[in-house]
Every structure is written in C-alpha cells, then in structure tokens.
C-alpha cells in the first residue's frame, strides 16, 4: 500500500521591513531546497508564492527564478497562486479578488513560464462565494486546512464543492502530519499511513497535502528533508509516492461532493471568541473572518477603510487613467492579509502594520481625488454596517468619519501625511491594567461627578460617565454648509438626572469646529465636570517605542508652556490654546476652546500579546483632555466650542 503525498512550500511573506531576515531564509532554506530538487528529479514539490516575494527574488536572486522555471518545465514543481499580495479573499470585492489573482498570474507567466491552476488561501480563510471568482480566473482547485472540512468528509480524497452552478476541487491540508524535527523517513511514513481511514483498501487514490513555511523548512531540514528523507523517497520500499496537485487531480477518479461553509484555520477560530485568549469553538457553527474582526475592532476599522477606497475606485469613471491605476495598486498592497492578521500567530496585526496599510489607502484616495478633481463633500451612509449612518467628510487634506455611536470622529485619515491618528487602541486590563469602556477617538465627551474626576484624569476606570457609549441622534445634516448636528440624552449620577448634549460639527478645509450645548433636563440642579477628550495614536514606529511622536505646547494665562512628554500634565484652568506637533508627519494640531478650560495630557502605552513569552509594547496614544466646571440650574444650558486646525509645521 502506498499513498500520495504533496509537499507545498508557502512563500506568501509580505513584510519587507527586515531584508536581512529574508536574505537569511533564502540562503538557509530556499537556495539549498532548489538545489536539492534540481539534483533529485524524483523529489516533487509545489510552491505557493506571492507577488512581492516573486519580485524580490527576481530582483535579488535571478538564479532562483531561473531554477524555478527549469523545474517547472521538468514538471517537478508546480507553482500555486495565493493572490498577488496574499489577501484575505472573502474581504474583497469580486473585482479586487480577480485583479489580485490575474496580476500574479501574469507575473508568474512572465517569470517561470506557466500560470497556476491552484490557489492557497491566507490562513485558509474561505467563503463559498469565492468559487465563481476562482473559476473565472482559471483556478481549478483550492487548498484548505482540515479544520474547515466536516469530519464525515475528511477521508483524504479530493472534494468537489459547488456555488451558483460553478464547481471547484478542494484538497485538504493535514499539517499535523508534517515531518517533525528528529523524525526519520520510516517513522514519519508510518505516522502518515496510520492516520489513513481503515475502510479504504486502495490508499493510492488518497492524497495527503502538507504545507510548510521557509522557517519550518529550515528547522527540519538537517534532521529529515535534506538527508534521510531523500534517501527514503528514492528507496524501493517507500510507502510514500510524491506528487503535485495538478498531476494527482488529472488522474483522480474518486471525489467527495460536499458544501464547505465559510470558515478559517482553527488557529484563528480559537482566537475569535475572547480577545487575545485561546478558546476552542465548541459550537456547531464555524467562526468566520467577520466574527474575528468583530472581536478585534481595530482590524474591522481598517477593513471598513479598505471597502470605502475600493468603492471609490470602482465608481471612478473617466478622469486620469494612470492615477486610477496607481490607486488600484496601492489598494491591493494595503489588502495584504498580514496587515489585518498575523498568519504566524493568528493574532491581529500590530499597530505598525495597520498604520502602514492606512498610509497606502490614503495614497490611493489621494490619487482618485486627483484623477477626478473632486470637490470637498460630506455624505451620510452606513459606513461600517452597524445599522446607523456615519458621516464621511472628504476635505481637501483629510478624510474624517463621524460615528453616531459616541458622537466622535473614529477615523481621521491625513491624505498627505499618510496616517490615521484616530485609530486608537482601547485598554485591556490583562495587558494595560485597566479596561476602557469606550472607543478612544477624537472629541469623546464625558460628564463626571466630582469624586470621579481625579481618578479619570489619572487614566483609571470611570465606568459611569454619561456620553461615551451613547447613541447620538441626527438632528440636522447640511451637506452644503458641511454641518452635522447630533444630540444625545442620558442619566447622570446616582440620582439619574436627565441631561442632554447637542453636538454640532462644522468641517472646513483645514479642520473642524465642534460646538457643545449641555442642558439640565431634570427637576434638580446639576453639578459636575464636563470633559472633552482627544486621542492621537502613534503612527510612526521607531526602534525606541518609548520615544513620543508628539510634542505638546500650550498657552496658559497668556504664557507659553511646554509639556514633558513622559509625565502627566494637569492645570485647573486658563488654557486658551493647545498645540500638538506631530514630529514624524510634520503637522500641527491646534486646539482652541472658545472659553479658557482646565487641561490634562498624558501618554498611554498599550501592550499586547504578539506571540512571544511576554506582552510587548506595540503602540502609544497621546491623550488630551479639556474640561469645564458644570453648575446648571433646572432647565439651564451651557455652551462650549473647540476649534481644531490641522496645518503643516514650519520647516526649521
């Protein structure tokens, strides 16, 4: 009895920040592997490669491309697609799915001489709607991890899955059967044979697909793949028959028909129900990538921005075709799966990756605007799919998104600086000492009792403030005047005093003015502190994560003061102007309240699990808080306004 085995090397790496690591992996992994394949014609293998990796080897190691072409012509290796930037396909519009596949296919045809017939998905993130796209691109089969296959269908045979009258073949990846370090060929083959179903007498009709990365290859090659395993495959007594998927499927006569619902690799599913914890899914329903992003909200915000840019490009007709093409290329690069999820750890992409993606998306929007010479505008639609309309403000130098949930600016994309300083994390107690009960955006509103106030300014929990979790109601929306009027109601203090807050946004080319009208709707006097909070997240990431990106200066009682970036700064009153300088992007954020206020600012660090033994510092946020004393009689109101201007910093 023998069984078909297909080894698949996964080269989807898109993080080119560490060229030294890429060069090391080539020298210790890919280069000796290609030499081994060339010297042993019976050793067959498939290689799944992304566009950036292929281009990197073409530029830096042309001999590798030449070898890939020769081995492909010898039918010894098969090249498998994964989309040009190895995106998460279910998150893309069909037009972007096809474009990513066809762009890589073209590059492969020009470099190795053959277009792929199979595709490997980023972390096996699957959706049945992909079938029609894949078939239209000439893709005949897809590789999926076995955790997505129903146990009754997991019999080491190819699966036929259908959607809207279109079919695709599915080969199951059994990574639990990968050769282990220290395991010889006989031990490994025995383990593979033992895993096969006993009710199949003809094992030669079955296939075991094994996918591995360059890192895994380097770790096992000295013990197995480069020594005893080659001799084992060449021996006459081997129980293993190496194959490549295209050859196997051409001769296959047994298939299983099954519908495979949307799902993803088990490692991602285990990270989905509770943030940053491993909890196995015990329900009968598989988790999807959308469930994952609902758990990790910052990944979802990035996805929403991707969808918006894709929509802008799709609806752009006429104009400068070259700029539209550049916008598409920036969008596709931003769609790389590693910008949302770390394939290695199944954890959300770190803040540095998300900000790099925002930068690409901002460049894409800038190209589209230049292509059509678009005017400034404000539109209202359900931007994030939460059932409420958001307000998307396209100003000359920035794009802002105002949410009715919390009545705050949740996205502030600076088109020429390429950053999104409103993409803040929220604290998680296990990593940061406290849990934040609200999203940290721009212009977050709090009404606090006096006894809560000092604790709140020290960045401790204050769970019963009124407005951060309120759903604001639209009162007036004027696109011509670029004005948004929202209103929220809440109950204040243990006495449940009814209070309302009207919040009016007026956008301009250089910034926004936010007017507040706080009114006591209760039959009793209302006293407390009204706080407006602005959070600017880190957008550039240097080696020294403790070094602040933002410099804070303010005018207090007509005197200019600088703030130590590493300390908590607080004044009780007298602030008339706040200037926060973004030293990386060379911008000034000028905040000017219409009445002098109290003020506090501090730096909030965020630590997260990144797959190591201990949580790591991954981002910082500069928190600025303006406040005024509230003393309102029955049916009385107070009015405050904060003007924000975003201007280029003067070159020194």
């Amino acid at each position: 009895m023998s069984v078909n085995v297909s080894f698949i090397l996964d080269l989807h790496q898109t993080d080119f920040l560490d060229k030294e690591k890429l060069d090391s992996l080539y020298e210790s992994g890919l280069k000796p592997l290609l030499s081994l394949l060339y010297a042993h014609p019976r050793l067959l293998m498939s290689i799944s490669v992304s566009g950036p990796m292929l281009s990197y080897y073409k530029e830096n190691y042309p001999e590798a491309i030449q070898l890939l072409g020769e081995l492909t012509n010898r039918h010894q290796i098969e090249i498998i697609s994964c989309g040009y930037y190895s995106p998460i396909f279910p998150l893309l519009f069909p037009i972007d799915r096809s474009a990513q596949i066809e762009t890589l296919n073209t590059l492969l045809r020009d470099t190795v001489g053959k277009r792929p017939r199979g595709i490997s998905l980023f972390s096996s993130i699957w959706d049945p709607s992909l079938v029609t796209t894949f078939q239209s691109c000439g893709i005949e089969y897809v590789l999926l991890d076995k955790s997505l296959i129903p146990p009754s269908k997991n019999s080491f045979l190819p699966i036929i899955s259908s959607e809207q009258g279109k079919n695709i073949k599915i080969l199951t990846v059994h990574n639990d059967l990968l050769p282990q370090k220290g395991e010889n060929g006989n031990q490994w083959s025995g383990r593979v044979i033992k895993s096969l179903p006993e009710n199949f007498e003809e094992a030669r009709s079955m296939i075991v697909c094994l996918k591995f990365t360059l890192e895994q290859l380097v770790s096992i090659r000295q013990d197995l793949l480069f020594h005893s395993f080659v001799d084992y495959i060449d021996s006459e007594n081997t129980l293993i028959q190496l194959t490549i998927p295209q050859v196997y499927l051409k001769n296959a006569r047994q298939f299983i028909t099954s519908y495979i619902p949307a799902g993803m690799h088990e490692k991602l599913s285990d990270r989905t129900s509770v943030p940053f914890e491993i909890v196995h899914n015990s329900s009968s329903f598989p988790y999807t990538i959308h469930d994952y992003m609902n758990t990790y909200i910052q990944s979802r915000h990035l996805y929403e921005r991707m969808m918006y840019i894709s929509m802008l490009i799709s609806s752009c007709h006429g104009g400068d075709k070259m700029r539209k093409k550049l916008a598409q290329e920036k969008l596709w690069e931003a769609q790389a799966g590693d910008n949302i999820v770390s394939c290695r750890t199944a954890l959300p992409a770190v803040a540095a990756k998300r900000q790099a993606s925002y930068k690409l998306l901002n460049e894409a929007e800038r190209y589209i605007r230049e292509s059509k010479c678009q005017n400034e505008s404000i539109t209202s639609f359900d931007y994030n799919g939460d059932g409420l309309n958001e307000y998307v403000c396209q100003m000359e130098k920035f794009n802002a998104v105002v949410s009715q949930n919390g009545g705050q600016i949740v996205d502030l994309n600076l088109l020429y600086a390429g950053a999104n300083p409103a993409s803040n994390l929220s604290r998680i107690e296990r990593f940061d000492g406290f849990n934040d009960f609200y999203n940290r955006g721009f212009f977050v509103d709090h009404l606090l009792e006096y006894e809560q106030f000092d604790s709140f300014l020290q960045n401790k929990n204050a769970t019963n403030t009124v407005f951060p979790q309120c759903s604001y109601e639209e009162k007036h929306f004027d696109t011509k005047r670029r004005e948004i009027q929202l209103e929220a109601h809440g109950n204040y203090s243990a006495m449940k005093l009814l209070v309302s807050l009207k919040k009016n946004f007026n956008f301009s080319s250089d910034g926004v003015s936010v007017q507040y009208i706080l009114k006591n709707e209760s039959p009793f006097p209302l006293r407390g502190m009204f706080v407006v909070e602005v959070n600017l997240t880190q957008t550039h990431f240097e080696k020294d994560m403790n070094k602040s990106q933002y410099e804070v200066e303010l005018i207090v009682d007509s005197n200019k003061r600088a703030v130590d970036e590493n300390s908590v700064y607080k004044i009780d009153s007298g602030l008339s102007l706040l200037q926060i300088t973004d030293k990386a992007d060379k911008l000034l954020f000028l905040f000017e309240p219409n009445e002098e206020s109290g003020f506090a600012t501090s730096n909030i660090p965020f630590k997260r699990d990144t797959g190591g033994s201990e949580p790591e510092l991954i981002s910082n946020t500069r928190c600025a808080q303006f406040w005024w004393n509230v003393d309102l009689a029955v049916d009385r109101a107070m009015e405050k306004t904060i003007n924000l201007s975003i201007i280029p910093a003067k070159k020194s």
Side-chain angles (χ1 to χ4, degrees):
M1 180 177 73
S2 63
V3 62
N4 296 288
V5 170
S6 178
F7 283 106
I8 300 137
L9 175 60
D10 188 1
L11 293 177
H12 89 273
Q13 179 72 36
T14 58
D15 186 354
F16 286 88
L17 299 177
D18 192 350
K19 297 281 178 46
E20 189 175 322
K21 181 180 179 181
L22 290 175
D23 292 336
S24 174
L25 286 173
Y26 173 77
E27 292 293 338
S28 59
L30 186 60
K31 182 179 178 179
L33 174 63
L34 293 178
S35 299
L36 182 73
L37 287 167
Y38 192 81
H40 294 79
R42 291 186 61 189
L43 190 59
L44 308 181
M45 187 170 291
S46 300
I47 298 179
S48 173
V49 61
S50 67
M53 283 298 288
L54 194 62
S55 298
Y56 179 78
Y57 292 134
K58 181 181 177 182
E59 180 179 350
N60 296 279
Y61 302 103
E63 69 277 8
I65 299 299
Q66 184 178 353
L67 266 177
L68 286 173
E70 291 187 30
L71 292 169
T72 301
N73 290 333
R74 281 167 38 170
H75 303 289
Q76 192 177 345
I77 68 168
E78 177 186 355
I79 301 296
I80 297 175
S81 177
C82 61
Y84 192 89
Y85 286 102
S86 191
I88 300 175
F89 280 109
L91 299 184
L92 311 188
F93 287 141
I95 188 173
D96 293 324
R97 297 173 184 172
S98 300
Q100 291 255 13
I101 296 171
E102 291 297 343
T103 303
L104 180 56
N105 287 352
T106 300
L107 180 61
L108 284 168
R109 188 170 58 244
D110 293 341
T111 51
V112 301
K114 194 171 183 180
R115 66 183 283 134
R117 296 298 176 186
I119 195 164
S120 173
L121 303 185
F122 184 94
S123 291
S124 284
I125 299 174
W126 162 258
D127 189 276
S129 65
L130 298 176
V131 173
T132 54
T133 298
F134 290 164
Q135 191 176 83
S136 68
C137 294
I139 299 297
E140 299 173 359
Y141 68 89
V142 61
L143 300 167
L144 289 183
D145 186 76
K146 75 170 189 176
S147 59
L148 279 80
I149 310 301
S152 61
K153 306 293 183 180
N154 192 1
S155 55
F156 296 88
L157 290 174
I159 294 171
I160 298 286
S161 188
S162 301
E163 180 74 10
Q164 297 180 359
K166 308 294 184 181
N167 299 330
I168 198 165
K169 299 179 180 70
I170 296 174
L171 294 178
T172 307
V173 176
H174 298 265
N175 271 1
D176 55 322
L177 298 178
L178 271 172
Q180 302 298 312
K181 191 170 184 177
E183 191 175 37
N184 63 39
N186 283 315
Q187 292 171 330
W188 169 73
S189 65
R191 187 160 57 89
V192 171
I193 297 299
K194 188 177 180 180
S195 69
L196 300 179
E198 296 180 359
N199 58 331
F200 278 90
E201 298 179 359
E202 191 59 53
R204 68 177 63 252
S205 63
M206 292 183 275
I207 185 170
V208 178
C209 293
L210 305 171
K211 189 196 292 188
F212 59 96
T213 64
L214 271 179
E215 289 92 337
Q216 290 172 312
L217 171 66
V218 170
S219 71
I220 67 174
R221 73 179 184 88
Q222 295 296 335
D223 298 89
L224 179 62
L225 196 55
F226 278 37
H227 289 98
S228 62
F229 184 65
V230 174
D231 297 333
Y232 173 75
I233 292 299
D234 284 338
S235 69
E236 295 181 358
N237 298 322
T238 179
L239 300 176
I240 301 298
Q241 177 180 325
L242 287 187
T243 187
I244 53 178
Q246 192 170 357
V247 171
Y248 168 80
L249 289 172
K250 184 178 180 180
N251 300 313
R253 292 295 177 267
Q254 286 184 278
F255 297 91
I256 295 176
T257 303
S258 179
Y259 178 81
I260 308 300
M264 55 188 178
H265 196 287
E266 189 175 29
K267 285 172 60 178
L268 266 70
S269 293
D270 289 348
R271 292 283 191 177
T272 295
S273 59
V274 180
F276 296 96
E277 291 187 17
I278 297 177
V279 180
H280 185 67
N281 181 16
S282 58
S283 72
S284 57
F285 298 96
Y287 288 133
T288 70
I289 186 61
H290 294 281
D291 296 318
Y292 184 92
M293 291 192 301
N294 287 335
T295 299
Y296 301 100
I297 195 66
Q298 295 306 320
S299 294
R300 181 171 182 83
H301 285 170
L302 178 58
Y303 160 69
E304 292 158 2
R305 177 70 174 155
M306 288 180 185
M307 291 294 98
Y308 176 73
I309 297 301
S310 186
M311 179 188 67
L312 282 184
I313 294 173
S314 299
S315 60
C316 179
H317 304 292
D320 188 329
K321 292 183 180 180
M322 181 57 69
R323 281 187 169 85
K324 182 178 179 180
K325 184 175 183 295
L326 290 171
Q328 288 176 324
E329 291 172 353
K330 293 297 180 182
L331 169 65
W332 298 338
E333 188 176 353
Q335 290 170 341
D338 282 333
N339 290 335
I340 296 177
V341 180
S342 169
C343 192
R344 179 180 60 86
T345 63
L347 292 165
V350 294
K353 295 287 289 183
R354 287 189 291 103
Q355 286 294 341
S357 187
Y358 276 118
K359 181 177 181 179
L360 293 164
L361 295 170
N362 290 343
E363 289 183 61
E365 181 172 356
R366 193 173 74 244
Y367 284 132
I368 285 297
R369 291 204 197 177
E370 292 171 351
S371 167
K372 294 286 288 183
C373 298
Q374 291 182 349
N375 296 322
E376 296 180 336
S377 66
I378 297 182
T379 55
S380 173
F381 63 97
D382 191 358
Y383 175 87
N384 59 11
D386 65 351
L388 298 175
N389 281 355
E390 282 71 41
Y391 306 90
V392 181
C393 311
Q394 283 190 325
M395 298 295 105
E396 180 183 350
K397 299 175 183 177
F398 65 89
N399 177 301
V401 178
V402 179
S403 173
Q404 292 189 52
N405 285 318
Q408 59 180 283
I409 296 177
V410 293
D411 266 342
L412 183 64
N413 293 287
L414 307 174
L415 302 186
Y416 292 91
N420 180 4
S423 179
N424 293 275
L425 295 170
S426 293
R427 290 178 299 172
I428 298 175
E429 185 171 6
R430 106 180 230 208
F431 300 118
D432 308 311
F434 296 96
N435 284 317
D436 281 332
F437 59 95
Y438 61 94
N439 293 324
R440 290 183 173 273
F442 273 51
F443 300 105
V444 186
D445 319 314
H446 305 271
L447 184 59
L448 297 142
E449 297 180 71
Y450 292 126
E451 54 268 28
Q452 292 181 297
F453 184 60
D454 287 337
S455 176
F456 176 78
L457 294 184
Q458 296 172 22
N459 291 317
K460 298 180 180 179
N461 282 359
T463 57
N464 55 343
T465 69
V466 179
F467 299 111
Q469 293 178 307
C470 278
S471 178
Y472 282 68
E473 180 183 355
E474 179 186 304
K475 288 300 181 181
H476 180 69
F477 176 48
D478 191 326
T479 58
K480 291 184 178 180
R481 298 178 62 183
R482 304 169 187 167
E483 182 178 40
I484 306 164
Q485 295 183 3
L486 304 175
E487 185 174 2
H489 295 82
N491 294 315
Y492 173 67
S493 79
M495 295 179 64
K496 305 295 183 183
L497 303 180
L498 183 61
V499 60
S500 67
L501 179 64
K502 292 181 180 179
K503 191 171 183 178
N504 303 330
F505 292 86
N506 284 92
F507 283 89
S508 66
S509 299
D510 297 324
V512 59
S513 174
V514 185
Q515 180 194 40
Y516 295 93
I517 301 176
L518 180 69
K519 185 176 181 181
N520 181 8
E521 308 274 5
S522 74
F524 302 98
L526 186 149
R527 295 181 179 87
M529 304 298 290
F530 179 62
V531 182
V532 176
E533 179 181 316
V534 175
N535 298 279
L536 290 89
T537 192
Q538 182 178 359
T539 61
H540 285 254
F541 298 84
E542 307 296 338
K543 291 184 179 179
D544 184 3
M545 286 291 292
N546 294 310
K547 189 175 181 180
S548 178
Q549 177 179 335
Y550 299 103
E551 184 178 85
V552 180
E553 296 177 300
L554 51 154
I555 303 296
V556 180
D557 298 328
S558 302
N559 297 313
K560 184 177 180 180
R561 298 183 188 177
V563 173
D564 182 354
E565 63 184 37
N566 296 316
S567 65
V568 177
Y569 181 86
K570 175 188 172 185
I571 55 171
D572 292 327
S573 63
L575 174 75
S576 58
L577 181 68
L578 168 67
Q579 175 180 294
I580 299 180
T581 303
D582 183 341
K583 295 180 289 186
D585 288 323
K586 309 301 181 185
L587 288 174
L588 299 180
F589 295 87
L590 296 179
F591 297 88
E592 186 175 6
N594 68 327
E595 294 182 18
E596 292 183 347
S597 69
F599 177 73
T601 183
S602 60
N603 186 64
I604 303 176
F606 294 96
K607 292 184 177 181
R608 290 294 182 269
D609 182 0
T610 59
S613 57
E614 295 292 334
E616 295 182 14
L617 179 65
I618 65 165
S619 182
N620 291 278
T621 285
R622 170 57 60 179
C623 179
Q625 297 157 326
F626 308 83
W627 73 78
W628 297 268
N629 186 65
V630 178
D631 189 357
L632 294 176
V634 177
D635 203 36
R636 301 292 299 207
M638 60 180 280
E639 182 270 336
K640 305 294 178 187
T641 300
I642 297 179
N643 298 303
L644 165 61
S645 299
I646 306 170
I647 58 177
K650 292 182 180 179
K651 295 182 180 180
S652 56

